[in-house]
Amino acid sequence: MFQATHGAAAVTECVSKTPLMTDLYQLTMMQTYLARGMTERAVFEFFVRSLPAERRFLLSAGLEQVVEFLASLHFEDDELTWLEREGHADSRLIDYLAQVHFTGDIDAMPEGTVFFPDEPILRITAPLPLAQLVESRVLSLLHFATLIASKAARVRLAAEDRLLVDFGMRRAHGSEAGVLAARSAYLAGFDGTATVLAGKSFGIPLFGTMAHSFVIAHEREMDAFETYARNHPDNTVLLIDSYDTLEGARKAVRLAERLRGSGIRIRGVRLDSGDLATLSRGVRDILDAGGLGDATVFASGNLDEHAIRALLAKGAPIDGFGVGTRMDVSADAPYLDCAYKLQEYAGQARRKRAEGKTTWPGRKQVYRHYSADGRMAGDCLTLEDDPQQGEPLLRPVMREGRLLAPLPTLADAREHTQAQLERLTQTLRELTPGPSDYPVDISPALSELVRTLDSAA
Amino acid sequence: MFQATHGAAAVTECVSKTPLMTDLYQLTMMQTYLARGMTERAVFEFFVRSLPAERRFLLSAGLEQVVEFLASLHFEDDELTWLEREGHADSRLIDYLAQVHFTGDIDAMPEGTVFFPDEPILRITAPLPLAQLVESRVLSLLHFATLIASKAARVRLAAEDRLLVDFGMRRAHGSEAGVLAARSAYLAGFDGTATVLAGKSFGIPLFGTMAHSFVIAHEREMDAFETYARNHPDNTVLLIDSYDTLEGARKAVRLAERLRGSGIRIRGVRLDSGDLATLSRGVRDILDAGGLGDATVFASGNLDEHAIRALLAKGAPIDGFGVGTRMDVSADAPYLDCAYKLQEYAGQARRKRAEGKTTWPGRKQVYRHYSADGRMAGDCLTLEDDPQQGEPLLRPVMREGRLLAPLPTLADAREHTQAQLERLTQTLRELTPGPSDYPVDISPALSELVRTLDSAA
């Protein structure tokens, strides 16, 4: 029903939709807003306050999940019963929640857009209680998807054109994180994931062959390899480091010879431990000398963008990488300092002045201009009604709860991302910590609004 | 049906139960196991390989979620249809999955038990394909719950007897992480959470009053406070830092005077920014001088165990803390180097020797002994059939898919945790990085098994 009414895409089952995924204070505040009739239009924007030292840019992600959450927003009877019984909502609030659905507007950057601190990537315009209700979950969805997409983009830059597969589900922070990390990684340019549910939910290509447990469950490593190859003739990538990696590579060669008559070929090997630069060269030599020149070498184990760049800089003959934990938890920057802030209420711009947490007020837009070679040259943060030169990055997505057009498919969003990454300057592409010199200018109109609000306070 | 058959607790809705929450290679390996008739009993153990530098001990958590996942293990028709259509399972594997349910044994440390590297906290004994199928999800559940419980225990140690509330849902990595982080924090001694769904799912006490958006949506801060107080007379904690914290405290005093006749009292104030040590003293003085001596001061904003310890060391008069992002993502150690490893197959101990990843083989048990004052004195890691002095930490939980006894309630597990934390040595209670001097001895029998396996290889 909500799909029909609001035109959203099919709701992804593996991502929680319950509106109880919120902070209690959203309900206590709503109750007071309703009691006092404070139901005029509010404008909230999501932005990141500052870059982690280890990031030079961010990649927006999670819009599809936000739209699905909002388009399907409703309370189940048992949720309302529980809220009332526990005293978390008075009868006026219960009545409101019983009929609530999303009637607001969304403007947002398309998924996979490069952005910088203070730039809103999503704006929600809705009656104050409604915009407040959804704060916690909108934050949760945009924060995590953006966190991982921003990390994965760096891995893609480091790996150049090598195959990249997400291996991180087991140490991602829960199932939703595992599935959404796979999605963010694919958006950012990964080729696939090991996470089965991400394949089913998002159509992301799946990769996977064997673990060490498979090898050591067999009496002899060669038995494990042969058994596997005969059972999976089209997906024969052997994990060769359970005992001795070079010896494992030699067994792969011997197995290929043994299987020659059967039409089964060894497509590749995987290394998951040890000095991958040295071992990959040794393995490559053994495969080449053994007639397996077209078999690929795939590497995994504690990898991230720095490890991959170092391996490629050493000329390691590795054709693909499995990247797991360090990407799926964004280990070097496991959270972003992001916020979803009230910028306007009842037509008036608002500004908090808590120490260290001042915000740019009003309904904002970001304009980007490019240099002659197509690279990004600078952004301008301004008010929505103050057009600037360049490309406006926030675009209308929903109006009064209705999707204006279908969201891009994940494949299309992935292409958009690749185009965005190609427009990064050389400085922005660096993986080392260091200040970005990318200019984000504040428009005179926005500066003037700040002065006006502060002098009136 | 699965509940009736297996006797598990009610399945928690907010935690995903689909068996597609797995890595593809579990399915490719299972297919080969089944094709080759490799269905004898396997023993897998979950353990952590090493402590992050920022941890001196770990706190086991997540057993309840593992038991719920296993007790309800089954595939839906649409999942099987999808696996078959995508070519991820042959007909033999589909037939197996169509009837699969958990028939294995579990031995585990009770939730909230202090443990150290190499000590298994959970053992699964089951036919090899079944034990393999559940690897990824068992890892995911134990890893995250343990990660956050271990972090939250440090926050509890730092906060001594102050009120502690989990505020981290918005930056937790997805909804499951938000809910399970609240659970792990409560297990470790927090008093409650802001996350509504965690209240509904686990009965954890909920806390929450107002955000800055509430204050700045009003024309005047005093209006926001009074409106809120009249609407929430029993939960009047005012957020006083939107503009000027000390001025906010004075408004709280004036509001209390104005409300005197109505019977509404100001129960406390919250500070969320600035120099909390200095501001809390200033606020305390204003409240005390204004007749609000019994109103509490609650602090939040970028807090963790170090910030809390520093505030209390400075004598900051703060009665409670909201701890969010840094706990819910375990920011200083966002993952554990954990594994779920095959230790025995068909009655024979197994051992991987991949570089840097050797494991202790066999079915193991951990014995703990205590000093005269009740503090932990040392552990012994040994084989299950080699009893030692001290308390065995792994206990039987399930046999042939049946729960032997109901799991402890969360309240009981929380009490167990407090008792465990009280038995920590002074060195283990330190929050600074530094090597633990806690002895974990390897028994002669286990050492001997390693020698035997390595010499036979």
Side-chain angles (χ1 to χ4, degrees):
Chain A
M1 176 196 138
F2 289 97
Q3 284 177 232
T5 310
H6 301 288
V11 170
T12 312
E13 281 170 56
C14 59
V15 179
S16 172
K17 297 294 179 301
T18 170
L20 296 190
M21 198 63 221
T22 191
D23 292 298
L24 182 66
Y25 72 7
Q26 312 294 6
L27 299 176
T28 57
M29 290 189 280
M30 287 178 79
Q31 181 170 307
T32 304
Y33 291 147
L34 293 171
R36 302 288 295 186
M38 291 180 66
T39 57
E40 291 193 67
R41 294 221 122 189
V43 176
F44 282 81
E45 289 177 348
F46 176 95
F47 59 97
V48 174
R49 289 196 185 92
S50 59
L51 284 176
E54 300 78 6
R55 300 288 178 275
R56 289 173 180 240
F57 66 90
L58 298 170
L59 202 60
S60 70
L63 176 60
E64 182 178 68
Q65 283 62 51
V66 167
V67 167
E68 286 186 358
F69 169 68
L70 295 177
S72 66
L73 181 69
H74 73 286
F75 281 78
E76 300 285 342
D77 288 344
D78 77 296
E79 295 173 333
L80 296 171
T81 305
W82 179 81
L83 286 173
E84 191 159 32
R85 195 185 68 219
E86 296 291 315
H88 296 314
D90 64 12
S91 61
R92 187 189 289 112
L93 177 56
I94 292 290
D95 289 347
Y96 177 91
L97 298 178
Q99 56 72 45
V100 77
H101 60 282
F102 187 71
T103 57
D105 299 346
I106 299 179
D107 296 82
M109 292 188 192
E111 288 196 84
T113 301
V114 168
F115 74 100
F116 299 92
D118 288 331
E119 298 182 347
I121 65 169
L122 178 126
R123 179 198 310 138
I124 289 183
T125 308
L128 180 57
L130 178 59
Q132 191 80 66
L133 172 64
V134 302
E135 168 177 359
S136 304
R137 186 58 169 147
V138 167
L139 263 165
S140 149
L141 288 166
L142 290 179
H143 170 262
F144 182 66
T146 295
L147 179 75
I148 304 304
S150 302
K151 175 73 171 175
R154 293 164 56 87
V155 180
R156 175 39 83 200
L157 290 173
E160 301 169 4
D161 61 351
R162 302 325 190 268
L163 184 78
L164 280 177
V165 181
D166 161 43
F167 274 10
M169 179 231 128
R170 61 187 56 199
R171 294 205 195 88
H173 291 185
S175 64
E176 191 175 284
V179 169
L180 292 180
R183 182 181 183 278
S184 279
Y186 189 66
L187 175 76
F190 269 56
D191 297 286
T193 180
T195 306
V196 177
L197 190 56
K200 180 163 187 283
S201 299
F202 298 114
I204 300 171
L206 292 179
F207 291 78
T209 56
M210 69 180 71
H212 294 109
S213 54
F214 181 86
V215 178
I216 67 173
H218 290 77
E219 284 293 322
R220 298 181 313 145
E221 191 175 31
M222 187 57 140
D223 293 345
F225 291 173
E226 181 164 359
T227 296
Y228 183 86
R230 292 191 184 278
N231 190 244
H232 294 279
D234 298 326
N235 184 23
T236 304
V237 178
L238 306 172
L239 176 62
I240 59 171
D241 73 328
S242 296
Y243 303 102
D244 177 295
T245 302
L246 299 181
E247 191 49 42
R250 289 181 199 107
K251 285 175 188 161
V253 167
R254 290 206 298 280
L255 178 60
E257 287 162 6
R258 190 183 299 180
L259 293 173
R260 194 146 293 159
S262 68
I264 301 171
R265 69 186 184 84
I266 304 301
R267 291 169 189 265
V269 297
R270 176 159 76 98
L271 287 61
D272 188 52
S273 56
D275 174 352
L276 295 173
T278 306
L279 288 171
S280 63
R281 247 187 303 270
V283 166
R284 182 76 265 162
D285 290 346
I286 292 167
L287 297 179
D288 289 347
L292 289 181
D294 59 350
T296 57
V297 175
F298 190 86
S300 58
N302 295 323
L303 295 180
D304 62 9
E305 66 272 37
H306 302 292
I308 290 172
R309 178 154 285 182
L311 286 167
L312 297 186
K314 287 181 195 167
I318 298 176
D319 305 290
F321 298 94
V323 183
T325 304
R326 291 177 191 212
M327 178 175 71
D328 279 35
V329 307
S330 187
D332 58 345
Y335 65 91
L336 298 172
D337 183 13
C338 59
Y340 170 89
K341 285 294 164 198
L342 180 67
Q343 308 292 4
E344 184 184 300
Y345 177 62
Q348 287 194 284
R350 302 284 167 162
R351 187 169 197 235
K352 181 173 79 163
R353 283 183 289 121
E355 284 179 52
K357 291 190 178 177
T358 54
T359 59
W360 295 107
R363 306 162 66 93
K364 292 181 291 296
Q365 177 58 283
V366 181
Y367 289 88
R368 177 161 297 163
H369 45 278
Y370 301 92
S371 38
D373 64 356
R375 299 290 179 105
M376 294 163 48
D379 292 358
C380 177
L381 181 65
T382 185
L383 294 167
E384 193 189 29
D385 58 4
D386 175 46
Q388 301 286 322
Q389 296 236 310
E391 179 191 15
L393 299 184
L394 288 150
R395 303 181 197 166
V397 174
M398 288 181 100
R399 286 293 176 267
E400 297 183 2
R402 286 175 182 277
L403 208 50
L404 295 175
L407 291 177
T409 64
L410 183 54
D412 289 345
R414 191 165 177 264
E415 278 189 26
H416 170 67
T417 308
Q418 290 314 301
Q420 287 276 303
L421 296 181
E422 282 162 20
R423 302 186 101 166
L424 289 173
T425 63
Q426 194 50 47
T427 310
L428 291 173
R429 298 171 68 92
E430 297 290 335
L431 301 181
T432 49
S436 158
D437 58 355
Y438 187 78
V440 178
D441 297 330
I442 306 300
S443 76
L446 182 52
S447 297
E448 180 57 30
L449 176 62
V450 169
R451 273 191 297 275
T452 308
L453 288 176
D454 284 0
S455 64
Chain B
M1 175 197 142
F2 289 96
Q3 285 177 232
T5 310
H6 301 288
V11 170
T12 312
E13 282 170 54
C14 59
V15 179
S16 172
K17 296 295 177 301
T18 170
L20 296 190
M21 197 65 222
T22 191
D23 292 298
L24 183 65
Y25 71 9
Q26 312 294 5
L27 299 176
T28 57
M29 289 189 280
M30 287 178 77
Q31 182 170 306
T32 304
Y33 291 148
L34 293 171
R36 301 289 293 185
M38 290 179 67
T39 56
E40 291 193 68
R41 294 224 122 186
V43 176
F44 282 81
E45 288 177 348
F46 176 95
F47 59 96
V48 174
R49 288 195 185 93
S50 60
L51 284 177
E54 299 78 7
R55 300 287 178 275
R56 289 173 179 240
F57 66 91
L58 298 170
L59 202 60
S60 70
L63 176 60
E64 183 178 67
Q65 283 62 51
V66 167
V67 166
E68 286 187 358
F69 169 68
L70 295 177
S72 65
L73 181 69
H74 73 285
F75 281 79
E76 299 286 343
D77 289 344
D78 77 296
E79 295 173 333
L80 296 172
T81 304
W82 180 81
L83 285 174
E84 191 159 32
R85 195 184 68 219
E86 296 291 315
H88 296 314
D90 64 11
S91 62
R92 186 189 288 111
L93 177 55
I94 292 290
D95 289 347
Y96 178 91
L97 298 178
Q99 55 72 47
V100 78
H101 59 281
F102 187 71
T103 57
D105 299 347
I106 300 179
D107 296 83
M109 291 189 193
E111 289 197 83
T113 301
V114 168
F115 74 99
F116 299 92
D118 288 330
E119 298 182 347
I121 65 169
L122 177 125
R123 180 197 308 139
I124 289 183
T125 307
L128 180 58
L130 178 59
Q132 191 80 65
L133 172 64
V134 302
E135 168 177 0
S136 304
R137 187 58 169 147
V138 167
L139 262 165
S140 148
L141 289 167
L142 291 179
H143 170 262
F144 181 66
T146 295
L147 179 75
I148 304 303
S150 302
K151 176 73 170 175
R154 292 164 56 86
V155 179
R156 175 39 83 200
L157 291 173
E160 301 168 7
D161 62 351
R162 300 327 189 268
L163 184 78
L164 278 177
V165 181
D166 161 43
F167 273 11
M169 179 232 128
R170 59 188 55 199
R171 294 205 195 88
H173 290 185
S175 63
E176 190 175 286
V179 170
L180 292 181
R183 182 182 184 278
S184 280
Y186 189 66
L187 175 76
F190 270 55
D191 297 286
T193 180
T195 305
V196 178
L197 191 56
K200 181 164 185 282
S201 299
F202 298 114
I204 300 171
L206 293 179
F207 291 78
T209 57
M210 68 180 71
H212 294 109
S213 54
F214 181 86
V215 178
I216 67 172
H218 290 77
E219 283 293 322
R220 299 182 313 145
E221 191 175 32
M222 187 57 140
D223 293 345
F225 291 173
E226 181 164 357
T227 296
Y228 183 87
R230 291 190 184 279
N231 191 244
H232 294 279
D234 298 325
N235 184 22
T236 305
V237 178
L238 306 172
L239 177 62
I240 60 171
D241 73 328
S242 295
Y243 303 100
D244 177 295
T245 302
L246 298 180
E247 191 49 42
R250 289 182 199 107
K251 286 175 186 160
V253 168
R254 290 205 297 279
L255 178 60
E257 287 161 8
R258 191 184 297 181
L259 292 173
R260 194 145 295 158
S262 68
I264 301 171
R265 69 185 184 86
I266 304 301
R267 290 169 189 265
V269 297
R270 176 160 75 98
L271 286 61
D272 188 53
S273 56
D275 174 350
L276 295 173
T278 305
L279 288 171
S280 63
R281 246 186 303 270
V283 166
R284 182 76 266 162
D285 290 346
I286 291 166
L287 297 178
D288 289 347
L292 290 182
D294 59 350
T296 57
V297 176
F298 190 86
S300 57
N302 295 322
L303 296 180
D304 63 9
E305 66 272 38
H306 302 293
I308 290 171
R309 179 155 285 182
L311 285 167
L312 295 186
K314 287 180 194 167
I318 298 176
D319 306 289
F321 299 94
V323 183
T325 304
R326 291 177 189 212
M327 178 175 73
D328 279 34
V329 307
S330 188
D332 58 344
Y335 65 91
L336 299 172
D337 183 12
C338 59
Y340 171 90
K341 286 294 165 199
L342 179 67
Q343 308 291 5
E344 184 184 302
Y345 177 60
Q348 287 194 285
R350 302 284 167 161
R351 188 170 195 234
K352 181 172 81 163
R353 281 182 290 121
E355 286 178 52
K357 292 189 177 179
T358 52
T359 58
W360 295 106
R363 307 162 66 93
K364 293 180 291 295
Q365 177 58 281
V366 181
Y367 289 88
R368 177 160 296 162
H369 46 278
Y370 301 91
S371 39
D373 65 355
R375 299 289 178 105
M376 293 163 48
D379 292 358
C380 177
L381 180 64
T382 185
L383 294 167
E384 193 189 30
D385 58 4
D386 175 47
Q388 301 285 321
Q389 296 237 309
E391 181 190 14
L393 298 184
L394 288 150
R395 303 181 196 166
V397 174
M398 287 181 101
R399 286 293 176 267
E400 297 182 3
R402 287 176 182 276
L403 208 50
L404 294 176
L407 291 176
T409 65
L410 183 54
D412 288 344
R414 190 165 178 264
E415 277 188 27
H416 171 66
T417 308
Q418 290 314 302
Q420 287 277 303
L421 295 181
E422 281 161 21
R423 302 185 100 165
L424 290 172
T425 62
Q426 194 50 48
T427 310
L428 291 173
R429 298 171 68 92
E430 297 291 335
L431 301 181
T432 49
S436 159
D437 58 355
Y438 188 79
V440 178
D441 297 330
I442 307 300
S443 76
L446 182 53
S447 298
E448 179 58 30
L449 177 61
V450 169
R451 272 192 298 275
T452 308
L453 288 176
D454 284 359
S455 64

